[in-house]
Amino acid sequence: MSEIPTRFGPYGGRYVPETVIGALDELEGAFSEHAEDATFQAELEGLLGSYVGRPTPLYRAKRLGERYGIEKLYFKREDLCHTGAHKINNALGQVLLARRMNKGRIIAETGAGQHGVATATAAALLDMQCCVYMGRTDMQRQRLNVVRMRMLGAEVRPVDSGTATLKDATSEAIRDWVTNVRDTHYVIGSAVGPAPYPEIVARFQAVIGVEAREQILAEEGCLPGAVVACVGGGSNAIGIFRGFMDDAEVELVGVEAAGHGLETGEHGAPLAEGSPGVLHGSLSYLLQTPEGQVSEPHSISAGLDYPGVGPEHSHLKDSGRVRYTNATDKEALDAFKACSEAEGIIPALETSHALAAIGRESSRLVGPVMVCLSGRGDKDVDQAGAAMGLDV
Amino acid sequence: MSDGAARLQRVFAEAGRPLFVPYVMGGFPDLAGSHAQAVALAKHADVLELGIPFSDPLADGPTIQAAGQRALDSGTRPEDVIEIAASLRAGPPVVLMTYVNTILAAGERAFFEHAARAGVAGVIIPDLPVDEAGPVREAATRAGIAIVLLAAPTTDEARMAAIGRAAEGFLYCVSVTGVTGGDVTVGDELRDFIDRARRHVQVPLVVGFGVRTPDHAAQIGEIADGVVIASQLIRLYDEAASPEDGEKALDAYAASIVEALDRVPA
């Protein structure tokens, strides 16, 4: 049985109602048992290959590289995963685990809808009942994904509390779990939440980094100078970073949402502007008032519109192993447009934040530069098209 | 034993019947309104539970969530709620209900020292399970305040034993697998849970979540040492035509609960 950390430095923990502690213990036990079980591994790896489409390619983005003044820019193409983002890696792993735990019902929260779609997909595949909580604001800006989830047979429950975005959807999913914990598994979509969730999500996403490391060595014969990823809760980032954590020469860069600009206070950048606090079961950097009320974040991208961040990122910030920067809504939109035009790849608005930081910092990044192209932007075309003045 | 724990346990020892523990959300609908509710309920209460509003209350259902949001919208700060407690110090012991981030943001030591100066006996923290309670508990103990732990129907024997070793004041037994504001069923599951708690926990057992009626209170009074009523009080107050009517409704309702508890055979 492998050890599952409860804390990353001082961060993490289990700040949840007593009602679900037993379920967290059960999950920890099931993960420890099955993660190293050959049958489980074979089933997951088989599905990741034939169903998700792994390994995803490593693609050299020459034209965007030229535009940014970077000789070697590589995309780790998680946008090519089935359902269009890295989220399926974790959703499939957790739903398989839920089946092993004999839980017949799956719930999830979703912001951009990518995790909701991935979970609904895994639930359809494995014949489980699925309910997804989504803020009403997000349902409007990510309408396509709402329709997809419903087509997949999932129930989408609108959440109206707070700003009706990811934070509120997560709180509501946790309340459902507290109520139905005996027969329900909560598939958290990012590397957040009470232990053991952050570690479980990181391990299911670590496949990104493991593949990427092998691929860049095969392609270039050397490691990348920098690996860049966007950070909301931080699951795609932790997934790719885990492949390079022990390679001290590889700079790891996480990119938060600066929204309308850090100076406006309207952003989703807890690592830059927050302080340690407890939200959704773990201690981590958090946007909050001096009294400890959780602040309402802002980002153009629903997936980064979150006031907290995974506890491992807080530890990696303090330890200095990862450098965290950020990109505004406008910078992200510019990068969205640049990538679409130069590469014929429409990236998710979340991913566009990572691209924007690369464009801005091209002169200081050591090549080859690798970015986790965490998702595709089909879901964002209405919103980005309107912002770009396209007739849509 | 902290001074707060001793005060709470004394109330149980002296009552001679199951205790009535009503809840007031501090700052709902505003500070004056919550103060008036607390005064109306304190006449009947054996222990008064006073909530500090939090933006993301994971253990609460829609009624308390909405009340908390209205309290925040009216500008309520944690120190305002502690001041309400201070103004009630002549009445029954006050127990604060707060999520852990409120305490961390204030600083554990500062929070509990302020609460102690206000005469607060105990603090209930629904998102701080016994395994995480260490540093918070130390600061509370130093200030003479009891950390009131919670147990749930899903708490197994081993955890119940650990909770029993750390419990002080009383144990808050969550009646349902769920959030506040539902509907309790006093059946075998609750009885088994309370039996399990009795075997491992020395302090009095108080049952809350989903308790609405005098009948509920009486049924729970037969198996436990006290009952918390929260969402139902908020609904009653909120549905009244005026704040005065709301206070009257709370007064009458609280009297009916105490009457029901008085009838519970000793």
Side-chain angles (χ1 to χ4, degrees):
Chain A
M1 299 239 296
S2 59
E3 184 80 9
I4 299 178
T6 301
R7 300 229 174 216
F8 304 90
Y11 303 107
R14 285 181 171 185
Y15 299 93
V16 287
E18 170 68 22
T19 310
V20 297
I21 294 287
L24 292 171
D25 284 338
E26 183 190 2
L27 176 61
E28 184 179 338
F31 184 76
S32 300
E33 183 189 340
H34 297 303
E36 283 166 17
D37 168 68
T39 329
F40 181 85
Q41 278 304 327
E43 187 175 11
L44 179 58
E45 278 168 26
L47 287 172
L48 288 176
S50 64
Y51 187 73
V52 174
R54 304 208 71 89
T56 57
L58 186 71
Y59 165 74
R60 183 166 169 195
K62 286 189 185 152
R63 294 193 63 227
L64 188 64
E66 268 168 36
R67 198 181 276 212
Y68 285 165
I70 292 172
E71 195 200 340
K72 288 177 177 170
L73 175 62
Y74 283 92
F75 289 174
K76 175 60 176 166
R77 296 290 307 274
E78 293 302 299
D79 61 315
L80 293 178
C81 288
H82 177 46
T83 70
H86 69 289
K87 295 291 188 187
I88 189 80
N89 303 326
N90 168 55
L92 203 52
Q94 282 201 45
V95 176
L96 276 174
L97 204 55
R99 204 174 58 175
R100 296 265 172 142
M101 293 189 291
N102 295 317
K103 307 263 180 178
R105 179 171 179 264
I106 294 296
I107 58 169
E109 85 296 338
T110 198
Q114 290 302 102
H115 173 59
V117 168
T119 305
T121 298
L125 177 71
L126 298 168
D127 193 22
M128 312 266 269
Q129 190 191 339
C130 179
C131 172
V132 180
Y133 288 89
M134 188 169 191
R136 205 179 285 277
T137 305
D138 289 341
M139 288 178 71
Q140 281 152 8
R141 59 179 164 175
Q142 310 277 207
R143 198 180 52 84
L144 173 72
N145 278 341
V146 176
V147 177
R148 290 170 77 197
M149 285 184 271
R150 288 179 173 155
M151 284 176 172
L152 291 161
E155 178 192 354
V156 181
R157 287 195 189 162
V159 177
D160 287 310
S161 54
T163 44
T165 58
L166 179 55
K167 172 186 81 117
D168 313 296
T170 306
S171 295
E172 210 48 45
I174 293 174
R175 291 188 188 106
D176 179 314
W177 196 43
V178 170
T179 307
N180 300 298
V181 62
R182 290 195 169 95
D183 68 353
T184 297
H185 175 65
Y186 175 28
V187 181
I188 288 190
S190 194
V192 301
Y197 276 109
E199 179 66 16
I200 289 179
V201 175
R203 293 219 200 149
F204 282 135
Q205 293 295 0
V207 65
I208 304 172
V210 170
E211 285 176 10
R213 192 174 188 280
E214 282 172 15
Q215 288 167 321
I216 191 83
L217 284 173
E219 188 79 19
E220 289 289 338
C222 68
L223 289 169
V227 174
V228 185
C230 66
V231 178
S235 70
N236 91 86
I238 211 68
I240 197 163
F241 290 168
R242 285 240 169 153
F244 302 93
M245 208 62 86
D246 298 332
D247 302 315
E249 68 273 34
V250 179
E251 183 184 32
L252 304 176
V253 183
V255 185
E256 294 188 290
H260 292 139
L262 294 185
E263 70 287 355
T264 65
E266 294 172 8
H267 54 77
L271 292 168
E273 297 284 303
S275 55
V278 169
L279 174 67
H280 296 149
S282 60
L283 177 72
S284 195
Y285 279 87
L286 177 64
L287 297 176
Q288 57 182 328
T289 69
E291 285 86 28
Q293 306 296 349
V294 179
S295 304
E296 292 179 347
H298 164 79
S299 172
I300 189 172
S301 78
L304 305 185
D305 199 351
Y306 186 66
V309 65
E312 190 171 5
H313 286 291
S314 290
H315 181 51
L316 292 168
K317 170 194 156 79
D318 286 3
S319 74
R321 178 63 189 94
V322 178
R323 176 168 67 86
Y324 292 91
T325 181
N326 44 76
T328 64
D329 288 354
K330 184 180 177 308
E331 289 175 310
L333 271 172
D334 289 345
F336 179 94
K337 189 162 179 277
C339 183
S340 302
E341 289 171 359
E343 296 294 344
I345 295 172
I346 299 176
L349 278 172
E350 290 77 15
T351 315
S352 301
H353 287 72
L355 296 171
I358 291 171
R360 193 180 62 216
E361 299 190 348
S362 58
S363 58
R364 70 178 280 189
L365 293 173
V366 176
V369 174
M370 183 190 288
V371 60
C372 186
L373 207 84
S374 54
R376 68 183 187 216
D378 305 38
K379 68 188 176 59
D380 298 314
V381 294
D382 285 346
Q383 198 188 5
M388 288 158 68
L390 300 178
D391 184 16
V392 286
Chain B
M1 191 188 296
S2 65
D3 169 58
R7 280 162 60 205
L8 289 168
Q9 285 181 229
R10 201 154 52 233
V11 178
F12 284 92
E14 291 168 0
R17 59 155 170 81
L19 301 198
F20 173 44
V21 185
Y23 170 95
V24 174
M25 169 63 83
F28 164 76
D30 51 33
L31 284 175
S34 62
H35 183 263
Q37 291 169 63
V39 169
L41 290 166
K43 283 192 280 174
H44 307 279
D46 299 296
V47 173
L48 186 74
E49 187 184 343
L50 189 57
I52 297 179
F54 180 55
S55 54
D56 295 82
L58 286 185
D60 286 308
T63 304
I64 294 183
Q65 276 180 58
Q69 191 55 53
R70 280 170 68 184
L72 292 174
D73 292 345
S74 76
T76 306
R77 298 164 307 165
E79 53 262 47
D80 300 327
V81 180
I82 294 176
E83 287 313 307
I84 294 178
S87 75
L88 298 168
R89 66 166 78 233
V94 172
V95 174
L96 294 174
M97 208 300 304
T98 179
Y99 285 83
V100 69
N101 201 47
T102 304
I103 297 172
L104 300 182
E108 289 99 323
R109 186 174 161 182
F111 180 90
F112 288 111
E113 285 178 357
H114 186 193
R117 285 196 302 278
V120 167
V123 178
I124 301 167
I125 313 167
D127 59 347
L128 192 74
V130 63
D131 349 53
E132 299 286 0
V136 171
R137 200 186 157 74
E138 271 172 41
T141 304
R142 228 172 289 136
I145 289 181
I147 295 290
V148 173
L149 293 171
L150 295 95
T154 51
T155 303
D156 65 17
E157 296 275 348
R159 282 190 66 79
M160 197 66 91
I163 289 170
R165 285 190 291 275
E168 49 177 355
F170 61 89
L171 180 70
Y172 193 130
C173 300
V174 175
S175 69
V176 293
T177 305
V179 294
T180 56
D183 226 336
V184 70
T185 309
V186 185
D188 288 347
E189 190 186 11
L190 183 59
R191 285 176 218 282
D192 287 350
F193 163 44
I194 297 299
D195 282 350
R196 193 158 67 247
R198 285 276 182 226
R199 286 200 295 279
H200 295 285
V201 181
Q202 304 305 314
V203 297
L205 307 180
V206 173
V207 172
F209 282 39
V211 183
R212 290 166 181 260
T213 65
D215 268 358
H216 283 153
Q219 288 170 31
I220 287 168
E222 288 179 14
I223 54 173
D225 308 308
V227 57
V228 177
I229 302 185
S231 296
Q232 183 64 17
L233 296 172
I234 291 173
R235 285 186 210 108
L236 275 176
Y237 183 80
D238 206 27
E239 284 162 7
S242 69
E244 294 70 32
D245 285 356
E247 289 153 33
K248 278 183 205 150
L250 293 186
D251 184 58
Y253 177 82
S256 73
I257 297 293
V258 171
E259 202 183 273
L261 292 172
D262 276 336
R263 286 200 307 268
V264 174

